[in-house]
Amino acid sequence: MQSSNPSHTGDRQKIVHSRHPTDDRPHRPDDDRRLLRVILAVPVVLLTVVPAFFLWLAINTRPDGDWDQAAYGGIELGSALAVVSAGAVGALWLAPSVRRVLRWPWAVPAVVLGVAAVARWVSSGA
């Protein structure tokens, strides 16, 4: 009586090699992270553009004189919004799951913008 299992290794090798060719390639964890990196990069990039815009507004706002409190208020508001937006990028990046996918260079531009916004806020002289 013959069993349905192969009796010698030659038949087993034929069965193993009959798989689809893409199943034979080794699994790399980076392959799974590529799409996740793209998905997480969108909010990080958008949240980096926001402080850049507010910092640009704060830098380009020029008061007409010492009496122009509205311009000083605009500088403070633009700087504060830039700091908060940059902080949002930093808070997002501090999540361990995001840090595993997006390394520190993704957060550096937002941190630099936040520091520049603080410098503009301090130097506004309001």
Side-chain angles (χ1 to χ4, degrees):
M1 201 173 184
Q2 289 185 339
S3 67
S4 61
N5 294 336
S7 59
H8 61 289
T9 58
D11 291 338
R12 183 177 296 166
Q13 288 176 352
K14 289 179 187 174
I15 293 171
V16 170
H17 291 296
S18 67
R19 294 186 300 174
H20 194 269
T22 58
D23 293 339
D24 291 334
R25 61 186 171 164
H27 178 71
R28 295 186 52 184
D30 292 338
D31 291 342
D32 295 338
R33 292 182 182 176
R34 187 175 306 143
L35 180 61
L36 187 58
R37 184 174 294 131
V38 170
I39 291 170
L40 289 174
V42 171
V44 168
V45 169
L46 290 177
L47 284 173
T48 303
V49 170
V50 171
F53 174 72
F54 286 127
L55 180 61
W56 178 80
L57 285 177
I59 289 173
N60 287 322
T61 302
R62 303 275 182 218
D64 291 333
D66 291 339
W67 51 268
D68 194 1
Q69 293 301 318
Y72 288 117
I75 292 170
E76 289 180 6
L77 180 64
S79 298
L81 291 174
V83 168
V84 168
S85 301
V89 173
L92 178 66
W93 185 79
L94 284 177
S97 58
V98 176
R99 265 197 330 259
R100 276 192 295 266
V101 177
L102 298 177
R103 299 294 181 197
W104 63 268
W106 285 91
V108 169
V111 171
V112 169
L113 288 169
V115 169
V118 168
R120 175 61 176 144
W121 194 347
V122 169
S123 70
S124 70

